[in-house]
Short mmCIF file of all heavy atoms in Angstrom, two decimals:
data_model
loop_
_atom_site.label_atom_id
_atom_site.label_comp_id
_atom_site.label_asym_id
_atom_site.label_seq_id
_atom_site.Cartn_x
_atom_site.Cartn_y
_atom_site.Cartn_z
N SER K 69 69.16 154.79 40.10
CA SER K 69 69.02 155.91 39.17
C SER K 69 68.38 155.45 37.87
O SER K 69 68.65 154.34 37.41
CB SER K 69 70.39 156.53 38.87
OG SER K 69 70.28 157.54 37.89
N LYS K 70 67.54 156.28 37.32
CA LYS K 70 67.03 156.01 35.98
C LYS K 70 68.17 156.11 34.98
O LYS K 70 69.14 156.84 35.17
CB LYS K 70 65.93 157.00 35.61
CG LYS K 70 64.66 156.83 36.44
CD LYS K 70 63.58 157.82 35.99
CE LYS K 70 62.31 157.63 36.79
NZ LYS K 70 61.24 158.58 36.37
N ASN K 71 68.03 155.37 33.87
CA ASN K 71 69.04 155.36 32.84
C ASN K 71 68.76 156.48 31.83
O ASN K 71 67.70 156.52 31.21
CB ASN K 71 69.03 154.00 32.12
CG ASN K 71 70.14 153.88 31.11
OD1 ASN K 71 70.11 154.54 30.07
ND2 ASN K 71 71.12 153.04 31.40
N ALA K 72 69.72 157.40 31.68
CA ALA K 72 69.51 158.56 30.81
C ALA K 72 69.30 158.15 29.36
O ALA K 72 68.51 158.77 28.63
CB ALA K 72 70.70 159.51 30.93
N VAL K 73 69.99 157.10 28.90
CA VAL K 73 69.85 156.66 27.52
C VAL K 73 68.45 156.10 27.27
O VAL K 73 67.82 156.38 26.25
CB VAL K 73 70.92 155.61 27.17
CG1 VAL K 73 70.71 155.06 25.78
CG2 VAL K 73 72.32 156.22 27.29
N GLU K 74 67.95 155.31 28.23
CA GLU K 74 66.60 154.77 28.09
C GLU K 74 65.55 155.89 28.09
O GLU K 74 64.58 155.86 27.32
CB GLU K 74 66.31 153.77 29.21
CG GLU K 74 67.11 152.49 29.09
CD GLU K 74 66.79 151.54 30.25
OE1 GLU K 74 65.96 151.90 31.10
OE2 GLU K 74 67.38 150.45 30.29
N LEU K 75 65.75 156.87 28.97
CA LEU K 75 64.83 158.01 29.00
C LEU K 75 64.84 158.75 27.66
O LEU K 75 63.79 159.13 27.14
CB LEU K 75 65.22 158.96 30.13
CG LEU K 75 64.86 158.54 31.55
CD1 LEU K 75 65.53 159.46 32.56
CD2 LEU K 75 63.34 158.58 31.75
N ALA K 76 66.04 158.96 27.12
CA ALA K 76 66.14 159.66 25.84
C ALA K 76 65.46 158.87 24.72
O ALA K 76 64.79 159.44 23.86
CB ALA K 76 67.62 159.90 25.49
N ALA K 77 65.62 157.53 24.76
CA ALA K 77 64.98 156.70 23.74
C ALA K 77 63.46 156.80 23.82
O ALA K 77 62.77 156.90 22.80
CB ALA K 77 65.43 155.24 23.91
N ASN K 78 62.92 156.79 25.04
CA ASN K 78 61.47 156.92 25.21
C ASN K 78 60.99 158.30 24.77
O ASN K 78 59.91 158.44 24.17
CB ASN K 78 61.09 156.68 26.67
CG ASN K 78 61.28 155.24 27.09
OD1 ASN K 78 61.25 154.33 26.26
ND2 ASN K 78 61.50 155.02 28.39
N LEU K 79 61.79 159.32 25.07
CA LEU K 79 61.44 160.67 24.68
C LEU K 79 61.41 160.81 23.16
O LEU K 79 60.51 161.42 22.59
CB LEU K 79 62.43 161.65 25.30
CG LEU K 79 62.25 163.14 24.96
CD1 LEU K 79 60.87 163.62 25.34
CD2 LEU K 79 63.31 163.96 25.68
N ILE K 80 62.40 160.22 22.49
CA ILE K 80 62.44 160.26 21.03
C ILE K 80 61.22 159.55 20.44
O ILE K 80 60.61 160.03 19.48
CB ILE K 80 63.75 159.62 20.51
CG1 ILE K 80 64.94 160.52 20.84
CG2 ILE K 80 63.68 159.36 19.01
CD1 ILE K 80 66.28 159.89 20.57
N ARG K 81 60.85 158.44 21.04
CA ARG K 81 59.65 157.73 20.58
C ARG K 81 58.42 158.63 20.67
O ARG K 81 57.61 158.70 19.74
CB ARG K 81 59.43 156.48 21.44
CG ARG K 81 58.18 155.67 21.12
CD ARG K 81 57.77 154.83 22.30
NE ARG K 81 57.45 155.67 23.44
CZ ARG K 81 57.60 155.30 24.72
NH1 ARG K 81 58.11 154.12 25.00
NH2 ARG K 81 57.25 156.11 25.70
N ASP K 82 58.30 159.35 21.79
CA ASP K 82 57.14 160.23 21.95
C ASP K 82 57.20 161.40 20.96
O ASP K 82 56.18 161.83 20.42
CB ASP K 82 57.09 160.78 23.38
CG ASP K 82 56.75 159.69 24.39
OD1 ASP K 82 56.37 158.58 23.97
OD2 ASP K 82 56.86 159.96 25.61
N LEU K 83 58.41 161.93 20.73
CA LEU K 83 58.55 163.03 19.78
C LEU K 83 58.20 162.60 18.37
O LEU K 83 57.67 163.40 17.58
CB LEU K 83 59.97 163.59 19.82
CG LEU K 83 60.36 164.38 21.07
CD1 LEU K 83 61.84 164.72 21.06
CD2 LEU K 83 59.53 165.65 21.20
N LYS K 84 58.47 161.34 18.03
CA LYS K 84 58.10 160.85 16.70
C LYS K 84 56.59 160.92 16.48
O LYS K 84 56.12 161.00 15.34
CB LYS K 84 58.58 159.42 16.51
CG LYS K 84 60.07 159.27 16.34
CD LYS K 84 60.56 159.81 15.01
CE LYS K 84 60.16 158.92 13.85
NZ LYS K 84 60.71 159.42 12.55
N GLY K 85 55.84 160.91 17.59
CA GLY K 85 54.40 161.02 17.48
C GLY K 85 53.94 162.35 16.91
O GLY K 85 52.80 162.49 16.45
N LEU K 86 54.84 163.35 16.92
CA LEU K 86 54.50 164.64 16.33
C LEU K 86 54.29 164.56 14.83
O LEU K 86 53.74 165.48 14.22
CB LEU K 86 55.60 165.66 16.64
CG LEU K 86 55.70 166.13 18.09
CD1 LEU K 86 56.95 166.95 18.29
CD2 LEU K 86 54.47 166.95 18.47
N GLU K 87 54.70 163.45 14.21
CA GLU K 87 54.47 163.30 12.78
C GLU K 87 52.99 163.15 12.46
O GLU K 87 52.59 163.23 11.29
CB GLU K 87 55.28 162.12 12.23
CG GLU K 87 56.78 162.38 12.30
CD GLU K 87 57.61 161.36 11.55
OE1 GLU K 87 57.10 160.24 11.33
OE2 GLU K 87 58.75 161.67 11.16
N ASP K 88 52.16 162.93 13.49
CA ASP K 88 50.70 162.89 13.30
C ASP K 88 50.07 164.26 13.53
O ASP K 88 48.85 164.40 13.46
CB ASP K 88 50.07 161.88 14.26
CG ASP K 88 50.54 160.45 13.98
OD1 ASP K 88 50.74 160.13 12.79
OD2 ASP K 88 50.71 159.69 14.94
N PHE K 89 50.89 165.28 13.82
CA PHE K 89 50.36 166.62 14.07
C PHE K 89 49.72 167.15 12.78
O PHE K 89 50.28 167.00 11.69
CB PHE K 89 51.49 167.55 14.51
CG PHE K 89 51.03 168.80 15.22
CD1 PHE K 89 50.72 168.76 16.57
CD2 PHE K 89 50.89 169.99 14.54
CE1 PHE K 89 50.29 169.90 17.24
CE2 PHE K 89 50.47 171.14 15.18
CZ PHE K 89 50.16 171.09 16.54
N PRO K 90 48.53 167.78 12.87
CA PRO K 90 47.83 168.20 11.65
C PRO K 90 48.56 169.29 10.88
O PRO K 90 49.16 170.18 11.46
CB PRO K 90 46.48 168.72 12.19
CG PRO K 90 46.75 169.08 13.61
CD PRO K 90 47.78 168.11 14.10
N VAL K 91 48.51 169.17 9.55
CA VAL K 91 49.12 170.14 8.65
C VAL K 91 48.08 170.56 7.61
O VAL K 91 47.40 169.73 7.03
CB VAL K 91 50.35 169.53 7.93
CG1 VAL K 91 50.85 170.47 6.84
CG2 VAL K 91 51.45 169.23 8.93
N THR K 92 47.96 171.86 7.40
CA THR K 92 47.07 172.40 6.37
C THR K 92 47.90 173.23 5.41
O THR K 92 48.46 174.26 5.79
CB THR K 92 45.96 173.28 6.99
OG1 THR K 92 45.22 172.50 7.94
CG2 THR K 92 45.02 173.79 5.89
N LEU K 93 47.99 172.79 4.17
CA LEU K 93 48.78 173.53 3.19
C LEU K 93 48.07 174.82 2.79
O LEU K 93 46.84 174.87 2.75
CB LEU K 93 48.99 172.68 1.93
CG LEU K 93 49.93 171.47 2.04
CD1 LEU K 93 50.02 170.76 0.70
CD2 LEU K 93 51.32 171.89 2.49
N PRO K 94 48.83 175.88 2.47
CA PRO K 94 48.22 177.10 1.95
C PRO K 94 47.43 176.78 0.67
O PRO K 94 47.81 175.90 -0.10
CB PRO K 94 49.42 178.00 1.64
CG PRO K 94 50.54 177.45 2.48
CD PRO K 94 50.29 175.97 2.59
N ASP K 95 46.34 177.49 0.46
CA ASP K 95 45.49 177.23 -0.71
C ASP K 95 46.28 177.30 -2.01
O ASP K 95 46.07 176.48 -2.93
CB ASP K 95 44.33 178.23 -0.76
CG ASP K 95 43.33 178.01 0.37
OD1 ASP K 95 43.33 176.90 0.95
OD2 ASP K 95 42.56 178.94 0.66
N GLU K 96 47.19 178.27 -2.11
CA GLU K 96 47.98 178.42 -3.33
C GLU K 96 48.79 177.17 -3.63
O GLU K 96 48.88 176.71 -4.77
CB GLU K 96 48.91 179.63 -3.20
CG GLU K 96 49.83 179.83 -4.40
CD GLU K 96 50.82 180.95 -4.18
OE1 GLU K 96 50.77 181.60 -3.10
OE2 GLU K 96 51.64 181.20 -5.08
N LEU K 97 49.39 176.60 -2.58
CA LEU K 97 50.21 175.41 -2.76
C LEU K 97 49.35 174.17 -2.98
O LEU K 97 49.65 173.32 -3.81
CB LEU K 97 51.11 175.22 -1.54
CG LEU K 97 52.17 174.11 -1.61
CD1 LEU K 97 53.05 174.29 -2.83
CD2 LEU K 97 53.01 174.10 -0.34
N ARG K 98 48.23 174.07 -2.25
CA ARG K 98 47.35 172.90 -2.37
C ARG K 98 46.77 172.79 -3.77
O ARG K 98 46.76 171.70 -4.37
CB ARG K 98 46.23 173.03 -1.34
CG ARG K 98 45.25 171.86 -1.28
CD ARG K 98 45.84 170.65 -0.59
NE ARG K 98 46.65 169.81 -1.47
CZ ARG K 98 47.39 168.81 -1.03
NH1 ARG K 98 47.48 168.55 0.26
NH2 ARG K 98 48.09 168.08 -1.88
N SER K 99 46.28 173.91 -4.31
CA SER K 99 45.69 173.87 -5.65
C SER K 99 46.74 173.54 -6.70
O SER K 99 46.46 172.86 -7.69
CB SER K 99 45.01 175.21 -5.97
OG SER K 99 45.96 176.26 -5.94
N PHE K 100 47.95 174.01 -6.48
CA PHE K 100 49.05 173.73 -7.41
C PHE K 100 49.36 172.24 -7.42
O PHE K 100 49.49 171.62 -8.48
CB PHE K 100 50.27 174.54 -6.97
CG PHE K 100 51.39 174.56 -7.97
CD1 PHE K 100 51.42 175.51 -8.97
CD2 PHE K 100 52.42 173.64 -7.89
CE1 PHE K 100 52.47 175.54 -9.89
CE2 PHE K 100 53.45 173.66 -8.80
CZ PHE K 100 53.48 174.62 -9.81
N MET K 101 49.44 171.64 -6.25
CA MET K 101 49.82 170.23 -6.14
C MET K 101 48.68 169.30 -6.53
O MET K 101 48.91 168.13 -6.86
CB MET K 101 50.29 169.94 -4.72
CG MET K 101 51.56 170.67 -4.34
SD MET K 101 52.08 170.36 -2.63
CE MET K 101 52.54 168.62 -2.71
N ASP K 102 47.42 169.80 -6.50
CA ASP K 102 46.27 168.97 -6.86
C ASP K 102 46.01 168.93 -8.36
O ASP K 102 45.09 168.25 -8.82
CB ASP K 102 45.01 169.48 -6.16
CG ASP K 102 44.99 169.11 -4.68
OD1 ASP K 102 45.77 168.22 -4.29
OD2 ASP K 102 44.20 169.72 -3.92
N ALA K 103 46.79 169.68 -9.15
CA ALA K 103 46.60 169.71 -10.60
C ALA K 103 46.79 168.32 -11.20
O ALA K 103 47.59 167.51 -10.71
CB ALA K 103 47.57 170.70 -11.24
N ASP K 104 46.03 168.02 -12.26
CA ASP K 104 46.11 166.72 -12.91
C ASP K 104 47.54 166.41 -13.36
O ASP K 104 48.18 167.24 -14.02
CB ASP K 104 45.18 166.69 -14.14
CG ASP K 104 43.71 166.68 -13.76
OD1 ASP K 104 43.41 166.37 -12.58
OD2 ASP K 104 42.87 166.97 -14.63
N GLY K 105 48.01 165.24 -13.01
CA GLY K 105 49.32 164.79 -13.44
C GLY K 105 50.49 165.33 -12.65
O GLY K 105 51.63 164.92 -12.88
N TYR K 106 50.20 166.25 -11.69
CA TYR K 106 51.32 166.89 -11.00
C TYR K 106 52.07 165.89 -10.10
O TYR K 106 53.30 165.89 -10.06
CB TYR K 106 50.85 168.07 -10.16
CG TYR K 106 51.99 168.80 -9.49
CD1 TYR K 106 52.72 169.74 -10.20
CD2 TYR K 106 52.36 168.52 -8.18
CE1 TYR K 106 53.80 170.40 -9.61
CE2 TYR K 106 53.44 169.17 -7.59
CZ TYR K 106 54.15 170.10 -8.30
OH TYR K 106 55.22 170.72 -7.72
N LYS K 107 51.32 165.05 -9.38
CA LYS K 107 51.97 164.10 -8.47
C LYS K 107 52.94 163.20 -9.21
O LYS K 107 54.08 162.99 -8.77
CB LYS K 107 50.93 163.27 -7.72
CG LYS K 107 51.55 162.24 -6.78
CD LYS K 107 50.50 161.45 -6.01
CE LYS K 107 51.16 160.43 -5.09
NZ LYS K 107 50.15 159.65 -4.32
N ALA K 108 52.50 162.66 -10.36
CA ALA K 108 53.37 161.76 -11.13
C ALA K 108 54.61 162.49 -11.62
O ALA K 108 55.73 161.95 -11.55
CB ALA K 108 52.59 161.18 -12.31
N ALA K 109 54.43 163.73 -12.09
CA ALA K 109 55.58 164.50 -12.57
C ALA K 109 56.52 164.83 -11.43
O ALA K 109 57.76 164.75 -11.58
CB ALA K 109 55.09 165.78 -13.25
N HIS K 110 55.97 165.19 -10.27
CA HIS K 110 56.78 165.53 -9.11
C HIS K 110 57.63 164.34 -8.66
O HIS K 110 58.83 164.47 -8.41
CB HIS K 110 55.86 166.00 -7.98
CG HIS K 110 56.57 166.43 -6.74
ND1 HIS K 110 56.82 167.74 -6.44
CD2 HIS K 110 57.11 165.72 -5.72
CE1 HIS K 110 57.47 167.82 -5.30
NE2 HIS K 110 57.64 166.60 -4.84
N GLU K 111 57.01 163.18 -8.55
CA GLU K 111 57.74 162.01 -8.04
C GLU K 111 58.69 161.45 -9.10
O GLU K 111 59.67 160.79 -8.74
CB GLU K 111 56.76 160.96 -7.55
CG GLU K 111 55.96 161.43 -6.35
CD GLU K 111 55.42 160.32 -5.49
OE1 GLU K 111 55.29 159.18 -6.00
OE2 GLU K 111 55.12 160.58 -4.30
N ARG K 112 58.43 161.73 -10.38
CA ARG K 112 59.40 161.34 -11.41
C ARG K 112 60.71 162.08 -11.20
O ARG K 112 61.80 161.54 -11.40
CB ARG K 112 58.83 161.64 -12.79
CG ARG K 112 59.83 161.39 -13.93
CD ARG K 112 59.20 161.67 -15.28
NE ARG K 112 58.65 163.01 -15.37
CZ ARG K 112 59.38 164.10 -15.64
NH1 ARG K 112 60.70 164.00 -15.79
NH2 ARG K 112 58.81 165.29 -15.72
#
């Protein structure tokens, strides 16, 4: 029998690949976040 834990571990590894799925921010949010100095203020 295949090992269910090993299968789940491999499946989780593949699901982590979804972090490369493309994302496009709405224009309203993108322009807001692209403002000068916003990144530094946000991460502060």
Side-chain angles (χ1 to χ4, degrees):
S69 175
K70 293 182 178 180
N71 185 290
V73 175
E74 291 179 0
L75 284 170
N78 291 335
L79 178 57
I80 290 171
R81 178 202 62 209
D82 291 349
L83 289 173
K84 288 290 288 183
L86 289 171
E87 294 190 338
D88 296 325
F89 199 82
V91 172
T92 302
L93 289 180
D95 291 341
E96 177 185 358
L97 187 55
R98 182 75 276 171
S99 61
F100 191 88
M101 295 178 68
D102 285 344
D104 290 343
Y106 183 82
K107 179 178 180 180
H110 182 99
E111 295 204 338
R112 174 179 56 81

